[in-house]
Amino acid sequence: MKRFLPFVIVAAFLFPTFSHPVSAAEGQSAELATKARSAVLIERDTGAVLFEKNSQQPLPPASMTKIMTMILIMDALDKGKITLNEKVRASEYAASMGGSQIFLEPGEEMTVNDMLKGIAIGSGNDASVAMAEHLAGSEKAFVAMMNKKAKQLGLKNTHFANPTGLPVKDHYSTAYDMAMMAKELLKYDQITNYTGKYEDYLRQNTDKKFWLVNTNRLVKFYQGVDGVKTGFTGEAKYCLTATAKKGNMRVIAVVFGAETPKERNTQVTQMLDYAFNQYQTKPLYKRNALIVKASVSKGDQKKVNVVTSEPISILTKKGASTKDVTTEVKMNQDLKAPLQKGEEVGMLIIKKKGQVVSQSPLVSQGNVKEASWWHLFKRTMGMFNHSS
């Protein structure tokens, strides 16, 4: 179990905000998602639940599964493990995927950038498997990564058996867990360059030019919608995890099990309208904002920049009076090298009148390698000489 050490409390007047945090129960009386099996509505930065209906019920997520697939792709890009321009080769197995696809041929190569387009816009099952194999070596190994990430995110009612969402035993999630996955995915600013596009093309400048049209029609027909992922199978019915941003506020709406695409989109639209009509946010930090410099023992550098892992805001009902909040930084005890970029090293806690409003991981801004014995020896001698 991780141990935390209180590091610093930032004065309340730095962040004027609003008088009370939103409780998960406030939206429960709203007449929303009446034609869905389950649904949830959250604000992205705080994760506060604004509305829910059967949100913890495990159900087949269909292609909304690809939200987790995209999380792992974006994480690899963020950490420099892959680049957008590197080529990905489609195996015979990846090319054999049915359902939604971008019609990869065995041996065909596409850039990570184009594969992401194929997944985010066209919901390509073949592109998803090709990227899974590229990142992990095999689909099975990638699925293990998906389930590991789900556990890291605290998702208790999710289990993946493939990276596509094609029907298979023991593959399920919930509306709430899907919202939390979307929350994680949306911390990567670049992702909406893909999920927010209504149309694009693959295989440009060839005789096999392929037109992509976003399966999420709300990208075109609801102002502010720029993601995230639709889903449909005969078992799952019509599903959608959608996000929209207006002003400073970004919300996520999830619907499972609508009978028609029109019902799915109508219910999500109503949920988004409710959020923007009833609530507002006050931004506190952007992603990668420097919070503190922390000491690292046995590293090739003595300190590391500790930054926010995601955007951080305060959520309130519209018209609420303003009051002060405090931010408390808790660092993991005894940080030791090596540290990886993006590794969790602490927690930023937002409080209101002593009550915790939200918590967000703090991460290492860069890599800290383990120092060689010679490096440590010189450092020790330098300290000795300085003290004498």
Side-chain angles (χ1 to χ4, degrees), residues 102-105 108 110 114 126 201-210:
I102 58 172
F103 299 98
L104 290 170
E105 296 181 0
E108 182 177 3
M110 277 192 183
D114 282 347
D126 46 1
Y201 291 90
L202 297 175
R203 304 182 182 92
Q204 294 270 31
N205 305 316
T206 74
D207 58 359
K208 295 182 179 180
K209 187 175 180 179
F210 188 75

Side-chain angles (χ1 to χ4, degrees), residues 43-324:
E43 191 273 329
R44 201 238 74 98
D45 289 1
T46 62
V49 177
L50 311 181
F51 169 83
E52 71 87 30
K53 173 186 176 182
N54 302 329
S55 65
Q56 302 291 350
Q57 180 182 357
L59 293 167
S63 279
M64 293 191 299
T65 297
K66 297 182 178 84
I67 294 173
M68 179 59 83
T69 300
M70 290 188 285
I71 287 173
L72 295 179
I73 295 171
M74 296 306 295
D75 182 62
L77 284 166
D78 190 60
K79 292 178 178 176
K81 295 178 179 178
I82 58 172
T83 67
L84 286 172
N85 293 324
E86 75 180 65
K87 293 292 183 67
V88 178
R89 184 180 182 277
S91 68
E92 187 171 343
Y93 174 67
S96 73
M97 292 297 111
S100 299
Q101 54 187 302
I102 58 172
F103 299 98
L104 290 170
E105 296 181 0
E108 182 177 3
E109 291 188 341
M110 277 192 183
T111 63
V112 170
N113 182 62
D114 282 347
M115 289 289 187
L116 255 178
K117 287 182 187 178
I119 297 168
I121 303 171
S123 195
N125 294 323
D126 46 1
S128 298
V129 173
M131 281 304 306
E133 293 176 334
H134 186 72
L135 285 173
S138 70
E139 182 186 41
K140 182 178 180 180
F142 187 80
V143 169
M145 290 171 59
M146 295 171 75
N147 287 316
K148 181 179 178 181
K149 186 65 175 181
K151 286 185 178 180
Q152 290 174 350
L153 294 174
L155 309 183
K156 298 179 180 179
N157 296 300
T158 292
H159 186 269
F160 296 111
N162 62 45
T164 61
L166 288 167
V168 66
K169 184 181 178 182
D170 205 28
H171 188 97
Y172 55 84
S173 189
T174 68
Y176 179 79
D177 284 4
M178 273 294 150
M180 291 299 106
M181 282 182 253
K183 182 182 189 298
E184 176 71 9
L185 179 62
L186 288 162
K187 79 180 188 183
Y188 301 105
D189 293 337
Q190 276 186 302
I191 193 60
T192 52
N193 295 336
Y194 300 91
T195 61
K197 278 191 176 181
Y198 184 68
E199 60 181 349
D200 209 324
Y201 291 90
L202 297 175
R203 304 182 182 92
Q204 294 270 31
N205 305 316
T206 74
D207 58 359
K208 295 182 179 180
K209 187 175 180 179
F210 188 75
W211 184 35
L212 293 171
V213 179
N214 203 317
T215 54
N216 180 7
R217 299 294 187 260
L218 293 183
V219 167
K220 185 173 183 178
F221 296 110
Y222 189 103
Q223 185 178 3
V225 169
D226 53 5
V228 179
K229 194 69 199 70
T230 58
F232 171 78
T233 64
E235 181 186 13
K237 303 300 182 183
Y238 292 92
C239 308
L240 174 60
T241 297
T243 185
K245 184 175 183 181
K246 290 187 178 180
N248 293 322
M249 184 174 172
R250 178 178 288 281
V251 295
I252 298 165
V254 183
V255 164
F256 272 75
E259 289 295 325
T260 67
K262 183 177 180 180
E263 282 186 359
R264 173 186 66 188
N265 292 347
T266 296
Q267 290 173 100
V268 167
T269 296
Q270 290 171 349
M271 292 165 72
L272 296 176
D273 286 343
Y274 173 79
F276 291 121
N277 289 337
Q278 297 292 320
Y279 298 95
Q280 60 191 7
T281 59
K282 174 74 175 181
L284 300 184
Y285 298 100
K286 294 182 178 180
R287 183 175 182 240
N288 290 323
L290 178 63
I291 302 299
V292 294
K293 290 179 180 287
S295 297
V296 181
S297 65
K298 299 183 179 180
D300 63 349
Q301 50 189 300
K302 293 182 179 180
K303 291 185 178 292
V304 65
N305 287 344
V306 176
V307 298
T308 53
S309 62
E310 60 183 346
I312 298 170
S313 300
I314 291 290
L315 174 72
T316 68
K317 293 280 285 185
K318 278 193 172 179
S321 60
T322 62
K323 288 221 174 176
D324 299 330

